[in-house]
């Protein structure tokens, strides 16, 4: 189950890139691509296109240190020759004139222990537990904004799901069309999470 969850998070993070770009959230899109790029071995047939997209989007979002990290990987001899001509010079320039400036990522509290950590880092650095994944943003959910899609029942931040629905009209995970008013913050999200986990365990 853990491996399946990890794979789902990676695949959905990649799907979210297009959604976030449409919303004008280039930082969010860049962080989703960075998440995928860190596990690039899971996508052996798409290494160069994914890393290229990551570099370009990170550069656009001002995440220059992260862009440099992945641009440097692309300069490896076995990858360099496969970079599309339209991007090759730009990526070479990023490596040749390194800029490591980058603002720290916004943080949010772990739903398990309240320790703060980067919003897109699902595993808490303090307690080691995984925070639920928001299907509308790719960030951790937060206790005060924790909701679920009325179609697939996957977790989300209510505010982020409303933002996506206002633009797209449908859940980015299941494609079910939903009204903005159907997204409601859970009264007792930790209890709801325990019940959901118990139900899954019984199914297995």
């Amino acid at each position: 189950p853990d491996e399946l969850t990890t794979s789902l998070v990676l695949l959905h993070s990649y799907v979210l890139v297009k959604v976030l770009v449409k919303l004008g959230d280039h930082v969010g899109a860049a962080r989703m691509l960075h998440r995928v790029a860190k596990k690039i071995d899971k996508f052996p047939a798409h290494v160069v296109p994914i890393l290229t997209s990551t570099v370009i989007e990170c550069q656009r979002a001002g995440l220059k240190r992260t862009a440099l990290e992945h641009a440097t990987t692309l300069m490896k001899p076995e990858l360099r020759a496969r970079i599309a001509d339209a991007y090759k010079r730009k990526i070479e320039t990023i490596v040749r004139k390194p800029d490591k400036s980058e603002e720290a990522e916004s943080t949010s509290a772990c739903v398990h222990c309240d320790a703060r950590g980067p919003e897109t880092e699902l595993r808490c650095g303090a307690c080691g537990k995984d925070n639920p994944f928001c299907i509308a943003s790719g960030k951790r959910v937060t206790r005060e904004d924790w909701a679920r899609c009325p179609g697939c029942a996957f977790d989300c931040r209510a505010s982020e799901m409303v933002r996506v629905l206002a633009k797209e009209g449908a859940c980015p995970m299941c494609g079910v069309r939903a009204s903005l008013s159907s997204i409601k913050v859970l009264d007792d999200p930790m209890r709801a999470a325990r019940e959901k986990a118990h139900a899954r365990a019984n199914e297995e």
Side-chain angles (χ1 to χ4, degrees), residues 36-55:
V36 173
K38 286 191 295 183
K39 300 285 186 181
I40 198 65
D41 58 306
K42 302 285 187 184
F43 306 92
H46 306 285
V47 171
V48 171
I50 289 174
L51 289 179
T52 300
S53 296
T54 304
V55 171

Side-chain angles (χ1 to χ4, degrees), residues 4 9 19 33 61 63 100 170 185 199:
L4 284 173
V9 166
V19 175
L33 283 166
L63 306 184
K100 298 182 180 180
V185 174

